[in-house]
Structure formats: C-alpha cells, structure tokens
Amino acid sequence: QLWMAADGYHAVNVTSPQTKETYTLNVYGVPSQNGPRPESYREDIETSKHSKSTSFFTEVIGGAQSGWDYSSRWFKNHEDIETIEATWVVPVDLNCILYRVEEHLEHWHESFGNSEAFSRYRAAKDSRAAA
C-alpha cells in the first residue's frame, strides 16, 4: 500500500504520448526535506553548498531510499552529485519488482478465492505491464 498511496511521493501518473493513456508508476520519493540525512550529515552539508538545486536534500534522500545511493543514474550531469534528481526518475527496476509483487499477490488471492483482491492486483499488474 505504501507504494501506491496517493501521497505524491511514491506513485506518479505518466501519460503515454502515443496512446494518451495514463498509468500509475512508482518512484523513490520523500516529503520535501530542508536538511541533511543524519547518517551523512557532514557530507550532505558540504555537497549542498555547491548545488544549485533548491531540493537537494529531498533528492539525496530519495536516492538513498533506492539503495543505489549516488549512482550516476540519478544525476542530471552523470559526473556530478550536485545535479542529483532522484525523484524525477521513474525507475524500471522498481516497477519491475512491483509488477512481480502484484503478480504474486494476484495468484495468492486467486488460490484463496478472494476474487475482489485478485481482480484488484490483476488490474494493477496489467496496467503496469501496459505502461
């Protein structure tokens, strides 16, 4: 439920330019942060001094949430952490993992005869696959 909450942090709507269909996909997101991570306080403060981003701390925390802390996959300029934009990326790997979770939940609910949950997870899985 965390990943699909309509809180604007983990689920985003993406519209296909070809089909004009809108899909809900997931991102690593956090509420806006105005300060560094406690576990990397000194490093975050030092790096933020050089960043032009007004949301640097939010982006750093979003990147850390992924487990891919400061991989260049999150950087606008692939060589510079000061350009981190982790919350702007819709990660394929995260959405593939969630697809498999939805698929397993679909089968699990089907085996227990829970048709309402079965239908909900099948629709979620199918929508994610279509995206």
Side-chain angles (χ1 to χ4, degrees):
Q1 297 297 333
L2 165 75
W3 290 102
M4 299 313 289
D7 59 10
Y9 303 126
H10 293 100
V12 296
N13 290 325
V14 177
T15 302
S16 167
Q18 287 84 22
T19 66
K20 307 298 184 221
E21 294 281 332
T22 299
Y23 303 97
T24 300
L25 294 172
N26 297 97
V27 297
Y28 295 107
V30 294
S32 183
Q33 301 293 311
N34 295 322
R37 298 165 296 142
E39 69 274 16
S40 296
Y41 187 88
R42 183 178 53 83
E43 295 89 344
D44 287 358
I45 292 293
E46 288 302 314
T47 305
S48 73
K49 290 177 183 176
H50 307 287
S51 176
K52 295 180 177 109
S53 173
T54 58
S55 62
F56 176 79
F57 295 119
T58 301
E59 300 300 332
V60 167
I61 292 168
Q65 185 182 68
S66 75
W68 285 68
D69 304 26
Y70 323 113
S71 156
S72 62
R73 81 184 285 195
W74 307 125
F75 304 167
K76 189 172 186 176
N77 168 351
H78 294 287
E79 298 175 3
D80 188 359
I81 190 173
E82 295 165 18
T83 64
I84 190 168
E85 293 185 343
T87 63
W88 290 84
V89 175
V90 179
V92 172
D93 54 340
L94 170 62
N95 284 281
C96 287
I97 291 166
L98 292 173
Y99 172 87
R100 290 292 293 187
V101 168
E102 291 161 347
E103 184 176 54
H104 288 297
L105 288 169
E106 170 195 12
H107 293 302
W108 188 77
H109 285 290
E110 180 181 36
S111 69
F112 286 102
N114 186 345
S115 60
E116 183 181 324
F118 163 77
S119 297
R120 184 172 63 247
Y121 286 110
R122 171 169 271 181
K125 177 197 76 162
D126 290 348
S127 176
R128 193 178 301 276

